Amino acid sequence: MIKTFTVLLACQCLGELIAYAGNLPIPGAVIGLILLLASLSLRPGLSSAIESDSLALLRFLPLLFVPAGVGIMVFAGRVAHDLLPMALSVVVSTALTIVVTALVGQGLCALWPPRAAPLTTPFASALHADGNTAPAAAEIAKVDTP
């Protein structure tokens, strides 16, 4: 766990240092994530070393939303006053993010040929024996019959 924290914090601190020293308009945390991605790409053994601890840390991710919720409650009057512009900016930025993410994803998929074997992750469902991800007809029949 300490090795994982060290790697994650080192990437974030380096990102903050680069953003501060270069007077860049990009947040240091984003630069740190790019550095983490680069280090994971260059050293494949690193990903296996920090994977289990990183997945364990993801369980506590919702705690990071507590300060934002407290801030909204503290400034509830101002939020109510500026609700329409805030809601509009959230909707527009979300739609723009979805469009840009889809375009970047399509561009990246066009760059790399498909792999011979499917990529397995802890989040991916197991493939059936015939190679399809859809449930077999026999399994559907089991669910539909009482």
PDB file of all heavy atoms in Angstrom, residues 60-72:
ATOM      1  N   PHE A  60     -13.016   4.313  -1.617  1.00  0.00           N
ATOM      2  CA  PHE A  60     -13.161   5.505  -0.796  1.00  0.00           C
ATOM      3  C   PHE A  60     -13.316   6.774  -1.622  1.00  0.00           C
ATOM      4  O   PHE A  60     -13.326   7.877  -1.079  1.00  0.00           O
ATOM      5  CB  PHE A  60     -11.957   5.644   0.149  1.00  0.00           C
ATOM      6  CG  PHE A  60     -11.792   4.441   1.036  1.00  0.00           C
ATOM      7  CD1 PHE A  60     -10.770   3.538   0.815  1.00  0.00           C
ATOM      8  CD2 PHE A  60     -12.676   4.209   2.067  1.00  0.00           C
ATOM      9  CE1 PHE A  60     -10.618   2.428   1.618  1.00  0.00           C
ATOM     10  CE2 PHE A  60     -12.543   3.098   2.880  1.00  0.00           C
ATOM     11  CZ  PHE A  60     -11.515   2.202   2.650  1.00  0.00           C
ATOM     12  N   LEU A  61     -13.449   6.645  -2.929  1.00  0.00           N
ATOM     13  CA  LEU A  61     -13.589   7.797  -3.808  1.00  0.00           C
ATOM     14  C   LEU A  61     -14.792   8.678  -3.467  1.00  0.00           C
ATOM     15  O   LEU A  61     -14.684   9.902  -3.526  1.00  0.00           O
ATOM     16  CB  LEU A  61     -13.662   7.329  -5.266  1.00  0.00           C
ATOM     17  CG  LEU A  61     -13.621   8.398  -6.335  1.00  0.00           C
ATOM     18  CD1 LEU A  61     -12.284   9.130  -6.292  1.00  0.00           C
ATOM     19  CD2 LEU A  61     -13.840   7.796  -7.697  1.00  0.00           C
ATOM     20  N   PRO A  62     -15.932   8.131  -3.068  1.00  0.00           N
ATOM     21  CA  PRO A  62     -17.065   9.008  -2.737  1.00  0.00           C
ATOM     22  C   PRO A  62     -16.779   9.990  -1.596  1.00  0.00           C
ATOM     23  O   PRO A  62     -17.437  11.033  -1.506  1.00  0.00           O
ATOM     24  CB  PRO A  62     -18.174   8.032  -2.344  1.00  0.00           C
ATOM     25  CG  PRO A  62     -17.845   6.780  -3.059  1.00  0.00           C
ATOM     26  CD  PRO A  62     -16.343   6.728  -3.091  1.00  0.00           C
ATOM     27  N   LEU A  63     -15.822   9.693  -0.736  1.00  0.00           N
ATOM     28  CA  LEU A  63     -15.490  10.625   0.342  1.00  0.00           C
ATOM     29  C   LEU A  63     -14.964  11.953  -0.187  1.00  0.00           C
ATOM     30  O   LEU A  63     -15.070  12.976   0.490  1.00  0.00           O
ATOM     31  CB  LEU A  63     -14.450  10.004   1.283  1.00  0.00           C
ATOM     32  CG  LEU A  63     -14.936   8.838   2.133  1.00  0.00           C
ATOM     33  CD1 LEU A  63     -13.775   8.271   2.933  1.00  0.00           C
ATOM     34  CD2 LEU A  63     -16.051   9.278   3.056  1.00  0.00           C
ATOM     35  N   LEU A  64     -14.428  11.954  -1.404  1.00  0.00           N
ATOM     36  CA  LEU A  64     -13.900  13.187  -1.974  1.00  0.00           C
ATOM     37  C   LEU A  64     -15.012  14.159  -2.347  1.00  0.00           C
ATOM     38  O   LEU A  64     -14.763  15.337  -2.565  1.00  0.00           O
ATOM     39  CB  LEU A  64     -13.042  12.879  -3.199  1.00  0.00           C
ATOM     40  CG  LEU A  64     -11.803  12.037  -2.915  1.00  0.00           C
ATOM     41  CD1 LEU A  64     -11.073  11.723  -4.214  1.00  0.00           C
ATOM     42  CD2 LEU A  64     -10.872  12.739  -1.948  1.00  0.00           C
ATOM     43  N   PHE A  65     -16.254  13.676  -2.424  1.00  0.00           N
ATOM     44  CA  PHE A  65     -17.366  14.552  -2.756  1.00  0.00           C
ATOM     45  C   PHE A  65     -17.946  15.255  -1.531  1.00  0.00           C
ATOM     46  O   PHE A  65     -18.762  16.155  -1.666  1.00  0.00           O
ATOM     47  CB  PHE A  65     -18.467  13.769  -3.480  1.00  0.00           C
ATOM     48  CG  PHE A  65     -18.035  13.272  -4.826  1.00  0.00           C
ATOM     49  CD1 PHE A  65     -17.741  11.940  -5.027  1.00  0.00           C
ATOM     50  CD2 PHE A  65     -17.904  14.145  -5.885  1.00  0.00           C
ATOM     51  CE1 PHE A  65     -17.339  11.484  -6.262  1.00  0.00           C
ATOM     52  CE2 PHE A  65     -17.503  13.708  -7.120  1.00  0.00           C
ATOM     53  CZ  PHE A  65     -17.216  12.379  -7.316  1.00  0.00           C
ATOM     54  N   VAL A  66     -17.542  14.862  -0.345  1.00  0.00           N
ATOM     55  CA  VAL A  66     -18.063  15.476   0.877  1.00  0.00           C
ATOM     56  C   VAL A  66     -17.710  16.964   0.956  1.00  0.00           C
ATOM     57  O   VAL A  66     -18.592  17.786   1.233  1.00  0.00           O
ATOM     58  CB  VAL A  66     -17.587  14.700   2.126  1.00  0.00           C
ATOM     59  CG1 VAL A  66     -17.932  15.435   3.395  1.00  0.00           C
ATOM     60  CG2 VAL A  66     -18.192  13.294   2.130  1.00  0.00           C
ATOM     61  N   PRO A  67     -16.461  17.380   0.710  1.00  0.00           N
ATOM     62  CA  PRO A  67     -16.168  18.823   0.776  1.00  0.00           C
ATOM     63  C   PRO A  67     -16.992  19.642  -0.215  1.00  0.00           C
ATOM     64  O   PRO A  67     -17.421  20.750   0.106  1.00  0.00           O
ATOM     65  CB  PRO A  67     -14.677  18.908   0.456  1.00  0.00           C
ATOM     66  CG  PRO A  67     -14.133  17.581   0.811  1.00  0.00           C
ATOM     67  CD  PRO A  67     -15.229  16.605   0.506  1.00  0.00           C
ATOM     68  N   ALA A  68     -17.224  19.126  -1.400  1.00  0.00           N
ATOM     69  CA  ALA A  68     -18.037  19.852  -2.379  1.00  0.00           C
ATOM     70  C   ALA A  68     -19.465  19.998  -1.888  1.00  0.00           C
ATOM     71  O   ALA A  68     -20.089  21.058  -2.021  1.00  0.00           O
ATOM     72  CB  ALA A  68     -17.999  19.144  -3.725  1.00  0.00           C
ATOM     73  N   GLY A  69     -20.015  18.946  -1.293  1.00  0.00           N
ATOM     74  CA  GLY A  69     -21.374  19.014  -0.753  1.00  0.00           C
ATOM     75  C   GLY A  69     -21.481  20.003   0.394  1.00  0.00           C
ATOM     76  O   GLY A  69     -22.460  20.755   0.499  1.00  0.00           O
ATOM     77  N   VAL A  70     -20.460  20.036   1.244  1.00  0.00           N
ATOM     78  CA  VAL A  70     -20.450  21.000   2.352  1.00  0.00           C
ATOM     79  C   VAL A  70     -20.369  22.419   1.814  1.00  0.00           C
ATOM     80  O   VAL A  70     -21.054  23.327   2.294  1.00  0.00           O
ATOM     81  CB  VAL A  70     -19.282  20.702   3.321  1.00  0.00           C
ATOM     82  CG1 VAL A  70     -19.104  21.815   4.330  1.00  0.00           C
ATOM     83  CG2 VAL A  70     -19.520  19.375   4.027  1.00  0.00           C
ATOM     84  N   GLY A  71     -19.558  22.621   0.782  1.00  0.00           N
ATOM     85  CA  GLY A  71     -19.445  23.949   0.180  1.00  0.00           C
ATOM     86  C   GLY A  71     -20.758  24.413  -0.414  1.00  0.00           C
ATOM     87  O   GLY A  71     -21.131  25.594  -0.295  1.00  0.00           O
ATOM     88  N   ILE A  72     -21.489  23.517  -1.034  1.00  0.00           N
ATOM     89  CA  ILE A  72     -22.798  23.880  -1.593  1.00  0.00           C
ATOM     90  C   ILE A  72     -23.760  24.255  -0.470  1.00  0.00           C
ATOM     91  O   ILE A  72     -24.529  25.209  -0.594  1.00  0.00           O
ATOM     92  CB  ILE A  72     -23.347  22.742  -2.465  1.00  0.00           C
ATOM     93  CG1 ILE A  72     -22.532  22.653  -3.759  1.00  0.00           C
ATOM     94  CG2 ILE A  72     -24.820  22.939  -2.782  1.00  0.00           C
ATOM     95  CD1 ILE A  72     -22.880  21.494  -4.636  1.00  0.00           C
TER      96      ILE A  72
END
